[in-house]
Amino acid sequence: MNLETDILVIGGGSAGSLAAIVAKEQNPVANVLVIEKGEIHRSGSIAMGMDALNIVVQPGITTPELYINSALIATDGILDYKPSFVMAERSYSILKRLEGWGIRFPTDEQDKYLSLQVHAKGKFLLEMDSPDLKLVLAEKLKEAGVKILNRTMVTSLLETNGKIHGAMGFNLRTGEFVVCSAKATILANGGCARFSLPNSGYLYGTFDYPGNAGDGYSLAYRAGAQLTGFEYTSCSPLIKDINCPLLYITITRGAKVINAFGEEIELEYLSTQTMLKELREGRDPIFIQLSHLPEERIQEIERILFTTERPIQKRFWENRGINFRDGLIELGITEYQLCGGHGLTGIVVNEKTETTLEGLFAAGDVACVPLQHLTGAFVFGEIAGENAVAYARKTQHKKISESVINDEKQRLFNILDEEGNNSKITVREFEYKVRRTISDYVVPPKNERKLQQALWWIPRFRNEMKNIQVRDYHELSRFEEIKFILDCMELSVYAALERKESRWGWFHYRTDYPQQDDDNWLKHVVLEYGKKSGEPQTTLVPIKTKED
Ligand SMILES: Cc1cc2nc3c(=O)[nH]c(=O)nc-3n(C[C@H](O)[C@H](O)[C@H](O)COP(=O)(O)OP(=O)(O)OC[C@H]3O[C@@H](n4cnc5c(N)ncnc54)[C@H](O)[C@@H]3O)c2cc1C
């Protein structure tokens, strides 16, 4: 299938949906196409809805400056001023846009939005009541006249001399090869949820949407863009075995966190590091206790947990015979992930969502705007839509060479072995092996020797990939995802080796450099594909302040 569009959006999750809708608002006659790996009604981090918009600066109550102060604490200073400032500044208008679409933000008797304290400073989290948020986004895309290509996975970007002009991929069900020429391209395809293995051992039992396997990071890296924050390997204490979120929903509503000895864990603010410490230091298991709360509070918590994010939780607790009125919720540490939304891993972008490659914009979890959550996905989705339209107006389509198309087609379809050679290793087994190695060597506690062990494995894994059994297009997509995961593994190792200090509590804890060293390391570790070596090149880049 050969396509031509003005704006191509890769990934139809939160950021991609906003980008496409806004691009159409800016220029209704522009062709806007979203290529989505899953199905747009349920794909991405919001499969259903969300219970909060985590960062909203309400005029007269909080300020973008206060948000920056808070975010600087959460990121230990590794934060460029302008993108985070712009996100905070535009957050209230995002809330108003969502309200206009029928999303409810509950208020108190004085008509004030219900807000909760989860940041070190300021109440920025506003409660949101939106079990159908993803369906609303899908409806708005349709109303705007955005074209959607579902179940289509982008496998490479079209790049010439540092300029991006579209992408290629294939349909996961039919195998149809897709080439799309675009005047402007927006990457909005999430972070890397499938990084280390969850303790449950299930490949897709991850906290974040498992369809995001670092595709965007790898696509941008291979095309020559700069990336950063890959040494920030984060995890969370969430519901054990099912990895569902609940901290913001329960603790902010009065739940207690207690350890194995029945002691209450004091949380200065909603600091996951304190809970992780308790788990690591052997005072586990730790639990969330709700039994002391009034009945209506427990019901409110149940309503959110059982409707908005993952309704499966209701069945999970029923099957375990646990009732929150007398039973405890056991917490466990999730797998480690790389993410621009919950962490600070991503493609280097400025406040206009421009990457270091011309014609390529990035928004949401795929971009490095630290801890931006859903607010960032929506705000930068909007900004990417606006700027991509402006860029597309002054750009022409570039003719795509037949040899580039044929090379990618051949590369992909040569991997297929429809006869199925049973002596080969299955995609699942191979992914398990790669991610188990990430769990062994790439995540904290880190040290030089462990990271070198990981490096020893990477070329071997790449070489062994020829022994993977790929019988259909679905397995072909899994094969491609393992390649993305391996790239993320390599980027994370290089970044972690470079940052010779510890930072972000547990998330980049090096036993050989256990101290945080602000004198030398208040910097970004930036990574770029080394065209000659084929390996990541690292540079240290100063933090951008308000004046830069
Ligand atoms: C369980 C959970 C709860 C959360 N709760 C909150 C909350 O209450 N408040 C808050 O502010 N934030 C919350 N967040 C964070 C927030 O949801 C995310 O930061 C945000 O949704 C990310 O949006 P995104 O568009 O970057 O990624 P996504 O919404 O994940 O979209 C990425 C899309 O790209 C597609 N894709 C991936 N690879 C490819 C490819 N190769 N080709 C084509 N398409 C591809 C995927 O299928 C997916 O649809 C939560 C996150 C999770 C996981």
Side-chain angles (χ1 to χ4, degrees):
M1 188 191 294
N2 283 316
L3 301 167
E4 206 174 78
T5 186
D6 295 311
I7 317 287
L8 169 63
V9 181
I10 301 170
S14 325
S17 297
L18 260 288
I21 294 163
V22 169
K24 274 303 242 184
E25 283 171 6
Q26 296 280 311
N27 183 2
V29 296
N31 286 314
V32 180
L33 172 70
V34 175
I35 297 189
E36 165 54 50
K37 196 203 262 186
E39 207 285 332
I40 200 103
H41 289 88
R42 290 290 179 217
S43 62
S45 294
I46 315 179
M48 300 281 293
M50 294 266 144
D51 53 276
L53 195 52
N54 286 1
I55 304 151
V56 182
V57 170
Q58 295 186 72
I61 298 179
T62 47
T63 60
E65 288 79 5
L66 183 67
Y67 172 71
I68 296 284
N69 287 343
S70 186
L72 280 168
I73 296 170
T75 57
D76 283 341
I78 309 296
L79 173 113
D80 286 343
Y81 186 91
K82 276 187 192 150
S84 291
F85 186 87
V86 168
M87 173 182 69
E89 209 177 25
R90 288 180 61 148
S91 58
Y92 195 68
S93 74
I94 273 292
L95 175 145
K96 289 291 163 194
R97 178 191 276 276
L98 293 174
E99 275 189 334
W101 289 351
I103 305 298
R104 206 172 76 83
F105 289 85
T107 50
D108 62 16
E109 303 78 52
Q110 279 89 45
D111 224 19
K112 294 213 167 69
Y113 291 115
L114 298 184
S115 59
L116 298 167
Q117 173 102 32
V118 297
H119 294 87
K121 295 182 179 180
K123 282 189 171 183
F124 293 104
L125 181 146
L126 293 201
E127 289 182 34
M128 179 166 63
D129 191 2
S130 69
D132 292 331
L133 181 57
K134 192 72 200 332
L135 297 181
V136 172
L137 292 179
E139 192 51 39
K140 292 291 157 194
L141 283 162
K142 197 168 150 200
E143 277 173 21
V146 172
K147 293 196 194 88
I148 317 276
L149 212 52
N150 279 315
R151 304 202 190 282
T152 304
M153 175 179 186
V154 167
T155 53
S156 68
L157 297 175
L158 289 160
E159 179 266 338
T160 315
N161 301 326
K163 197 169 161 182
I164 299 299
H165 46 94
M168 296 184 281
F170 69 99
N171 184 295
L172 305 183
R173 295 215 163 148
T174 64
E176 186 171 15
F177 186 72
V178 176
V179 185
C180 180
S181 162
K183 291 181 183 168
T185 304
I186 301 172
L187 268 180
N189 50 348
C192 183
R194 297 216 314 270
F195 194 53
S196 77
L197 271 184
N199 284 339
S200 64
Y202 297 122
L203 292 179
Y204 313 121
T206 50
F207 147 66
D208 208 330
Y209 173 65
N212 296 334
D215 309 34
Y217 298 147
S218 173
L219 293 170
Y221 169 65
R222 296 271 158 190
Q226 289 186 347
L227 299 107
T228 189
F230 275 74
E231 67 280 31
Y232 187 101
T233 39
S234 71
C235 62
S236 310
L238 298 186
I239 301 174
K240 188 165 184 311
D241 300 333
I242 194 173
N243 275 348
C244 285
L246 82 164
L247 299 180
Y248 285 13
I249 300 161
T250 53
I251 296 175
T252 50
R253 289 176 174 83
K256 289 182 187 166
V257 186
I258 54 173
N259 67 16
F261 310 118
E263 297 156 349
E264 186 175 348
I265 303 168
E266 294 294 332
L267 299 170
E268 195 188 332
Y269 57 102
L270 221 164
S271 155
T272 51
Q273 295 291 344
T274 315
M275 286 180 256
L276 289 173
K277 191 161 179 281
E278 207 71 10
L279 286 166
R280 284 196 337 267
E281 291 182 356
R283 290 182 292 280
D284 59 324
I286 66 170
F287 303 93
I288 295 275
Q289 181 192 294
L290 302 181
S291 53
H292 58 283
L293 295 177
E295 176 60 24
E296 58 278 14
R297 261 281 131 125
I298 298 180
Q299 282 184 20
E300 181 190 335
I301 290 170
E302 283 179 334
R303 194 180 55 77
I304 301 168
L305 291 181
F306 301 163
T307 60
T308 306
E309 273 165 17
R310 291 192 214 171
I312 196 177
Q313 261 206 62
K314 187 165 189 295
R315 205 153 24 105
F316 177 82
W317 293 114
E318 278 168 5
N319 285 344
R320 293 210 164 181
I322 292 177
N323 185 318
F324 298 159
R325 283 146 198 88
D326 47 28
L328 294 170
I329 302 175
E330 186 179 347
L331 300 180
I333 301 185
T334 62
E335 68 289 339
Y336 291 80
Q337 65 162 181
L338 300 168
C339 181
H342 287 106
L344 42 82
T345 307
I347 301 168
V348 171
V349 286
N350 61 14
E351 65 280 11
K352 297 178 188 158
T353 68
E354 290 163 338
T355 68
T356 50
L357 296 178
E358 201 186 325
L360 183 69
F361 302 81
D365 288 359
V366 78
C368 178
V369 180
L371 307 172
Q372 55 179 306
H373 296 265
L374 189 58
T375 307
F378 283 161
V379 168
F380 291 108
E382 274 190 343
I383 295 175
E386 291 162 8
N387 289 324
V389 165
Y391 179 83
R393 282 188 207 276
K394 50 180 194 190
T395 310
Q396 297 304 313
H397 279 285
K398 182 166 183 348
K399 186 167 165 22
I400 305 163
S401 113
E402 280 303 315
S403 68
V404 169
I405 299 174
N406 287 335
D407 285 354
E408 179 66 354
K409 218 179 194 168
Q410 270 189 15
R411 183 191 72 77
L412 278 173
F413 298 128
N414 279 349
I415 299 167
L416 265 181
D417 172 18
E418 281 161 273
E419 309 277 287
N421 178 345
N422 289 333
S423 66
K424 289 185 168 183
I425 185 166
T426 67
V427 214
R428 275 175 180 268
E429 284 165 341
F430 198 87
E431 180 175 337
Y432 184 89
K433 196 169 161 179
V434 169
R435 289 175 57 198
R436 207 213 69 213
T437 310
I438 294 176
S439 299
D440 284 347
Y441 299 124
V442 187
V443 302
K446 310 176 189 182
N447 64 46
E448 171 98 20
R449 191 69 187 85
K450 275 171 89 174
L451 294 165
Q452 293 293 351
Q453 287 293 105
L455 278 191
W456 184 86
W457 274 105
I458 292 167
R460 275 159 188 80
F461 280 142
R462 290 202 173 114
N463 187 37
E464 278 179 31
M465 284 191 78
K466 60 179 179 294
N467 295 322
I468 301 183
Q469 185 185 71
V470 181
R471 292 164 302 186
D472 54 33
Y473 300 117
H474 184 74
E475 288 187 350
L476 183 57
S477 73
R478 295 292 182 244
F479 179 98
E480 286 297 288
E481 286 174 344
I482 298 175
K483 275 182 40 218
F484 297 149
I485 296 169
L486 269 174
D487 277 351
C488 289
M489 175 181 178
E490 187 172 37
L491 289 166
S492 188
V493 172
Y494 270 79
L497 279 169
E498 185 71 29
R499 187 175 286 285
K500 293 183 177 50
E501 62 150 2
S502 290
R503 193 171 284 271
W504 310 301
W506 181 242
F507 297 161
H508 177 68
Y509 177 59
R510 285 195 53 161
T511 49
D512 46 357
Y513 298 97
Q515 302 305 325
Q516 183 168 318
D517 172 6
D518 281 348
D519 290 343
N520 293 304
W521 288 102
L522 215 45
K523 293 173 184 152
H524 299 287
V525 175
V526 169
L527 300 143
E528 205 168 340
Y529 183 71
K531 285 206 170 107
K532 277 197 189 136
S533 65
E535 288 169 1
Q537 306 298 301
T538 50
T539 31
L540 298 177
V541 174
I543 306 292
K544 289 198 176 79
T545 63
K546 191 176 177 180
E547 284 70 41
D548 293 317

